[in-house]
Amino acid sequence: MDDIRKRHQDTQCVHASTLHDPSGAVVTPIYQTSTFSFRDVDHGAALFAGKEKGYIYTRMANPTIEALEETVAVLEKGYRGLACGSGMAAIHTTFASMLRTGDHVVCSDSVYGPTNTLLSGVMSRFGIESTMVDSSDLKAVEHAIKPNTKMIYIETPGNPTLVVSDIEAISEIAHGHGARVVVDNTFMSPILQQPLTLGADIVVHSMTKYLNGHADVVAGVIVVKTEEDYKAFRQILNQIGGVITPFNSFLVARGIKTLAVRIERQCRSAEAVARFLENHDKIQEVYFPWFPSHPQHELARRQMKGPGGVVSFELKGGMKGGKTLMNSVRLCTLAVSLGGVETLIEHPASMTHAVMGAEARRKANISDGLVRIAVGIESVDDLIADIAHGLDKVSV
Ligand SMILES: *Cc1c(COP(=O)(O)O)cnc(C)c1O
């Protein structure tokens, strides 16, 4: 479609992935092929030299993958996208493209667990150091910057208390110190937050979550702002090889067609669930960026177009209460992840973070009564009834 970049996001979701396939296919077909034939020797040589546009090998480029990359780039108002085999592959490719031995990274301390481990593990082994800070505190961010700081990596809202970091202010601070800003925008999707328009340099997503939205694919994407970055990142992605498959690209592009509609519903339902929890006598605290009780409530309202679909809360019944709630809900599914059409519920202390032990959990601010709900698109009345039934079984 002409000028898709000038249209509204709802329209972009539906149409941006449409390739103008010679067959007239309305939906971009799955080019399930590893390699592409050359017409003759000169054609192959011209493709390799970049003198002619075309496809060579699917790790380098593939039409189905490109259609998805273009869609996310349009939605994020970026230059181009690079789709990856998982969110972590996108994050690793970003680090490998932007950092070298001796560099330093300032990173949100509430960042996704494996991102934290990637920095303290593999990246540290390659001589890249990092400092974890509460990135909602601008002074702490600036204080953590060193002469060799090349990247400020933030995730906002952060897990599990949905702490919000100021993308615009952090970008200003970073650029003043010659560092660049990467934002993990997974929790918001481009519908609710567009970090590149706020000054960030790079956006990454786990497309496993809202972008795909159906809990049936693991995938990631990087969106860059400039051609220079695009070329550098593409070369690294091609070398590391963490690419997405054409079939998964097709599924994610299909998921994105309903992204705006899903997000609208999920925001509305999450707010209703959060309000129900806020008024429930077995709940000590609700973490929800849209409520005035949230510490960065004003920033959230300014930076985000909606609260997102995740609600976290502190249950008064602690570990036992959390386990009881998990075992009593019938509609909410006990599982990690978020952003799908089905509502997922998670109790870190007895599930994902159980192996850490109580002491490490306390240090990481994961209390025994903490529960996270990633709200889906079911009837919100059914969801609230299910949670209410579960809470009835909890003794405080
Ligand atoms: C899930 C997730 C990731 C990792 O993505 P995968 O697709 O599981 O590799 C990164 N960041 C955030 C915020 C996530 O929720």
Side-chain angles (χ1 to χ4, degrees):
M1 180 174 288
D2 298 343
D3 261 352
I4 188 76
R5 284 184 179 257
K6 291 197 181 132
R7 307 221 181 235
H8 292 94
Q9 272 188 323
D10 309 67
T11 308
Q12 291 170 343
C13 284
V14 178
H15 293 285
S17 64
T18 308
L19 264 193
H20 295 284
D21 190 82
S23 69
V26 170
V27 172
T28 297
I30 306 170
Y31 284 84
Q32 189 72 11
T33 182
S34 60
T35 193
F36 298 83
S37 63
F38 310 131
R39 285 191 305 274
D40 52 34
V41 179
D42 288 344
H43 179 219
L47 288 177
F48 269 103
K51 288 185 182 144
E52 201 176 314
K53 201 184 148 19
Y55 300 98
I56 297 171
Y57 185 66
T58 284
R59 174 159 43 72
M60 301 160 76
N62 171 292
T64 313
I65 298 174
E66 268 184 5
L68 169 63
E69 291 174 334
E70 178 61 12
T71 306
V72 184
V74 165
L75 289 171
E76 285 286 5
K77 293 197 165 62
Y79 171 66
R80 300 269 306 258
L82 301 100
C84 301
S86 69
M88 287 316 301
I91 293 164
H92 179 216
T93 301
T94 300
F95 290 161
S97 301
M98 296 174 76
L99 301 168
R100 60 179 63 234
T101 301
D103 287 349
H104 174 248
V105 179
V106 175
C107 181
S108 302
D109 58 6
S110 59
V111 81
Y112 184 68
T115 306
N116 190 338
T117 319
L118 178 61
L119 282 170
S120 64
V122 175
M123 290 300 140
S124 150
R125 279 203 278 117
F126 283 84
I128 293 157
E129 40 159 14
S130 47
T131 306
M132 312 308 280
V133 293
D134 173 2
S135 53
S136 72
D137 179 350
L138 295 175
K139 284 208 180 73
V141 172
E142 185 143 33
H143 192 71
I145 295 176
K146 301 182 185 189
N148 58 337
T149 303
K150 292 288 155 56
M151 177 191 291
I152 300 189
Y153 184 99
I154 57 174
E155 194 176 305
T156 177
N159 225 349
T161 57
L162 303 173
V163 57
V164 177
S165 301
D166 189 332
I167 298 170
E168 197 166 11
I170 290 173
S171 300
E172 241 172 69
I173 293 170
H175 296 154
H177 288 85
R180 306 181 77 206
V181 175
V182 178
V183 178
D184 182 334
N185 202 25
T186 302
F187 267 53
M188 287 283 93
S189 93
I191 303 299
L192 299 179
Q193 178 170 279
Q194 295 171 315
L196 300 180
T197 68
L198 298 169
D201 301 286
I202 308 288
V203 164
V204 294
H205 279 279
S206 167
M207 298 198 289
T208 311
K209 317 294 167 52
Y210 288 104
L211 288 169
N212 179 58
H214 293 75
D216 50 12
V217 170
V218 170
V221 70
I222 306 162
V223 183
V224 299
K225 254 178 166 169
T226 66
E227 186 177 2
E228 191 188 347
D229 275 341
Y230 178 72
K231 284 186 173 156
F233 277 62
R234 180 61 74 187
Q235 206 174 30
I236 299 297
L237 177 58
N238 190 30
Q239 287 164 17
I240 291 179
V243 294
I244 193 171
T245 62
F247 181 61
N248 280 354
S249 296
F250 167 83
L251 287 175
V252 178
R254 175 185 165 119
I256 290 176
K257 286 174 191 276
T258 57
L259 177 66
V261 181
R262 284 186 281 113
I263 291 281
E264 196 178 311
R265 165 69 78 92
Q266 281 165 309
C267 285
R268 205 167 353 113
S269 296
E271 186 164 353
V273 167
R275 220 168 276 293
F276 164 77
L277 292 167
E278 205 177 39
N279 295 318
H280 199 285
D281 60 5
K282 288 180 188 169
I283 307 296
Q284 194 170 323
E285 193 167 355
V286 175
Y287 303 108
F288 196 63
W290 238 225
F291 289 169
S293 57
H294 188 281
Q296 296 92 34
H297 161 252
E298 276 176 26
L299 168 62
R301 292 264 177 180
R302 182 154 36 91
Q303 178 167 280
M304 297 145 55
K305 288 193 207 109
V310 175
V311 184
S312 296
F313 56 94
E314 300 282 351
L315 201 55
K316 280 181 186 162
M319 179 67 90
K320 187 159 168 284
K323 284 186 180 172
T324 306
L325 177 62
M326 291 304 111
N327 288 331
S328 307
V329 288
R330 297 175 187 139
L331 179 59
C332 299
T333 304
L334 270 62
V336 295
S337 199
L338 60 128
V341 291
E342 60 289 287
T343 297
L344 304 182
I345 192 163
E346 214 258 300
H347 178 226
S350 70
M351 294 166 68
T352 44
H353 298 68
V355 289
M356 272 171 88
E359 186 52 37
R361 278 201 302 274
R362 240 190 313 280
K363 276 195 188 141
N365 264 333
I366 296 162
S367 64
D368 284 350
L370 183 75
V371 175
R372 187 181 85 180
I373 299 183
V375 176
I377 63 167
E378 302 95 334
S379 149
V380 71
D381 295 338
D382 287 342
L383 287 176
I384 290 175
D386 188 48
I387 298 162
H389 163 81
L391 288 172
D392 280 347
K393 307 277 177 193
V394 173
S395 45
V396 292

